[in-house]
Amino acid sequence: MKIAVVGSGYVGLCSAAGFASLGHDVVCVDMDKDKVDKINRGEPPMYEEGLSELLSETLKNKKICASAGMESIKSADFIFITVGTPSKPDGNLDLGYVQKASEDVGNFLKIRGYCTIVVKSTVLPGTAENSIIPTVERISGKKAGKDFGVCSNPEFFREGKALEDFFKPDRIIIGQYDDKSGDMLAKLYSSFQCPLKRTDLKTAELIKYASNAFLAMKISFINEIGNICKNLGIDVYEVAEGMGLDRRIGGRFLQAGIGFGGSCFGKDVSALLHKSQELNSRSQILEAVLSVNSKQPTRIVLLLKEKMDIRNKAIALLGLSFKEDTDDVRDAPSIAIISELLKHGCTINCYDPRAAENMRKIFPSLNYGSSALEALNSADACLILTGWKEFNNLSDKDFSVMKGKVIIEGRKILDRNKVSNYEGICW
Ligand code: NAD
């Protein structure tokens, strides 16, 4: 099949490389010329495990290429829309990129036969039907369901494990406007060994939001339990393990810590909350999920302040990305923590194996080290903010280069057998 992917960020490029490796001919379209050039040179613009190798292989086999121009979508059987859907300042969804992509796609539909538009960007229920389809129809002069098909195919992958999840997803959701496009998309996914659920467009759109809201709720829930645990001298991880043995609960997404971040959970829960308010049905659960999460990162600073006067001290921060295995710092808890420490005049010596470059765009004047040891050197205290596996190898010897003795982890990653004196935010 010929596939065009409009928007070559985390979702677009990983999906594109995945489909290309399965033998499809894929064009990645992006309005960012720099990104396009990098992709064509075999340099993924973001870090994702295995992506560099897969991109090189598919470029070599001439199964993938990138373009800054939309004309490359002319011959595609499927046009995936994978552009960003950020939050507006009020928390509502900003559909600007989706609108522009729909207009561009509409323009090219004028001069071609039936193809299927697949909306993979996360959009609120009703967006495909009330916004994308009318735009494409208006610009192209063609009719959805007759001249072109429309599907919603939300993406559920985990950043850091995006390719693993592309090839082995838990499920595939196909929301369809017309049977023909739904059948075609189901055929594209026919080699995938997982349940495939077909729905109408708006149901598929809501499945994505409900899933992310539920996962975010699990994290806020366990963080609240963790905050109780901390006051009672109980390790929340033991509690979570005990809870997770119940199959009705399950152990995943019960890792307490400094809260969720990333480009999805916060913005998706906010957008759903907005939608519920628009419908006059206030969602108290969604409000609580966001409220708990907004306070969680800086709890680690409060804990640090209980141990020492942090004014003008040197603090080592290990980990900046919102989670391990990614360079993504969008909405990372580390941002709130850094801002709080800076308010107290702290000097910040930080280290992240992948995310320093992205964090430098937000905080250019921190001291960015090239190793954990460099960040720890002469620090008065250390906060661990991302669960990168390499931090699991740190030992007392590594921490001995610090001036102070305070070590607090915001993600459970240190090994009690190697480090004798530290504590966790909720354990
Ligand atoms: P991203 O910001 O990494 O990538 C979006 C890309 O789209 C950018 O490269 C941008 O230049 C490009 N773009 C924007 N408008 C364009 C246009 N009109 N034409 C061509 N290119 C255009 O975003 P992302 O993280 O890949 O997320 C994309 C969508 O997928 C969002 O709706 C997001 O909520 C959803 N999603 C993301 C993840 C994730 O883990 N990142 C997971 C599931 C779903």
Side-chain angles (χ1 to χ4, degrees):
M1 290 287 180
K2 290 194 163 81
I3 297 173
V5 173
V6 180
S8 304
Y10 286 84
V11 169
L13 185 56
C14 291
S15 309
F19 281 125
S21 76
L22 295 174
H24 301 289
D25 295 299
V26 185
V27 181
C28 304
V29 179
D30 205 285
M31 60 183 187
D32 181 338
K33 177 86 174 54
D34 190 40
K35 228 174 227 188
V36 166
D37 292 342
K38 280 189 173 156
I39 295 170
N40 283 329
R41 286 200 303 269
E43 297 164 16
M46 75 292 288
Y47 173 73
E48 191 57 54
E49 200 177 290
L51 183 58
S52 179
E53 295 80 356
L54 203 62
L55 183 59
S56 300
E57 180 194 310
T58 48
L59 277 168
K60 201 172 99 204
N61 297 340
K62 300 202 175 342
K63 285 290 168 192
I64 199 168
C65 67
S67 166
M70 292 293 282
E71 63 288 342
S72 46
I73 73 168
K74 264 192 293 203
S75 59
D77 302 303
F78 295 98
I79 302 169
F80 280 77
I81 296 183
T82 52
V83 298
T85 46
S87 288
K88 288 182 182 168
D90 67 356
N92 205 352
L93 196 63
D94 181 350
L95 279 178
Y97 295 120
V98 170
Q99 179 64 22
K100 170 80 172 63
S102 311
E103 288 167 9
D104 290 347
V105 169
N107 252 320
F108 277 91
L109 285 197
K110 282 181 193 162
I111 49 167
R112 51 157 304 159
Y114 189 96
C115 67
T116 297
I117 299 170
V118 184
V119 185
K120 222 178 213 324
S121 296
T122 303
V123 291
L124 282 164
T127 304
E129 246 165 309
N130 303 327
S131 171
I132 297 174
I133 292 177
T135 301
V136 176
E137 286 184 332
R138 175 173 54 80
I139 306 268
S140 65
K142 300 209 167 173
K143 194 90 196 90
K146 178 170 150 283
D147 305 314
F148 64 96
V150 182
C151 288
S152 161
N153 174 219
E155 180 55 62
F156 298 99
F157 74 38
R158 297 162 297 166
E159 262 182 39
K161 300 282 173 222
L163 292 173
E164 187 184 319
D165 291 350
F166 174 85
F167 292 111
K168 285 193 182 143
D170 286 339
R171 81 302 211 179
I172 290 162
I173 304 293
I174 296 179
Q176 64 184 55
Y177 182 74
D178 53 319
D179 286 340
K180 183 175 169 183
S181 60
D183 289 348
M184 282 174 65
L185 191 56
K187 200 164 157 216
L188 183 72
Y189 281 117
S190 58
S191 65
F192 287 66
Q193 303 292 316
C194 67
L196 187 153
K197 183 168 172 59
R198 286 172 70 167
T199 68
D200 61 14
L201 290 172
K202 60 176 186 253
T203 305
E205 291 166 334
L206 186 53
I207 288 172
K208 172 66 189 174
Y209 277 95
S211 301
N212 269 4
F214 188 81
L215 293 173
M217 179 185 72
K218 268 188 114 173
I219 298 174
S220 278
F221 175 83
I222 200 65
N223 282 336
E224 199 134 276
I225 297 293
N227 297 338
I228 295 170
C229 284
K230 188 71 186 171
N231 285 316
L232 294 175
I234 297 169
D235 182 342
V236 66
Y237 275 75
E238 280 202 67
V239 175
E241 194 186 335
M243 286 169 64
L245 292 172
D246 184 331
R247 278 172 296 167
R248 293 169 305 175
I249 298 173
R252 293 174 74 182
F253 270 76
L254 288 180
Q255 284 87 24
I258 47 175
F260 59 76
S263 66
C264 293
F265 283 175
K267 97 170 158 68
D268 292 352
V269 176
S270 295
L272 189 56
L273 188 58
H274 253 263
K275 190 75 190 172
S276 74
Q277 282 159 353
E278 218 177 275
L279 299 168
N280 287 329
S281 75
R282 179 178 160 213
S283 166
Q284 294 178 58
I285 287 186
L286 298 184
E287 281 173 4
V289 168
L290 291 180
S291 161
V292 170
N293 197 61
S294 68
K295 295 183 193 91
Q296 200 66 14
T298 46
R299 288 183 77 95
I300 200 166
V301 181
L302 291 178
L303 190 56
L304 180 61
K305 279 162 84 174
E306 283 173 21
K307 321 248 162 241
M308 59 188 270
D309 177 2
I310 66 169
R311 276 172 302 166
N312 305 319
K313 295 291 188 318
I315 312 293
L317 298 186
L318 301 188
L320 299 168
S321 54
F322 82 94
K323 65 171 182 175
E324 65 280 14
D325 300 329
T326 179
D327 60 354
D328 199 344
V329 299
R330 290 178 288 184
D331 224 0
S334 57
I335 295 173
I337 293 165
I338 292 169
S339 304
E340 192 61 25
L341 292 172
L342 290 176
K343 275 189 216 156
H344 290 80
C346 296
T347 301
I348 296 177
N349 305 328
C350 52
Y351 165 69
D352 187 289
R354 299 277 176 189
E357 212 180 302
N358 283 336
M359 193 55 93
R360 211 189 283 275
K361 292 175 199 157
I362 305 172
F363 296 106
S365 55
L366 309 182
N367 300 321
Y368 290 90
S370 55
S371 66
L373 266 186
E374 201 180 322
L376 290 172
N377 197 17
S378 304
D380 293 295
C382 167
L383 303 180
I384 299 177
L385 306 186
T386 313
W388 284 99
K389 253 204 188 104
E390 65 175 78
F391 300 151
N392 181 253
N393 295 324
L394 292 170
S395 66
D396 280 332
K397 187 163 170 266
D398 300 309
F399 288 108
S400 69
V401 302
M402 288 170 58
K403 191 156 60 165
K405 294 275 165 268
V406 182
I407 304 163
I408 307 174
E409 55 174 4
R411 306 285 186 203
K412 199 173 179 85
I413 188 70
L414 293 178
D415 183 342
R416 280 251 167 257
N417 298 316
K418 297 179 192 152
V419 188
S420 45
N421 195 11
Y422 70 93
E423 65 179 286
I425 179 174
C426 317
W427 52 96

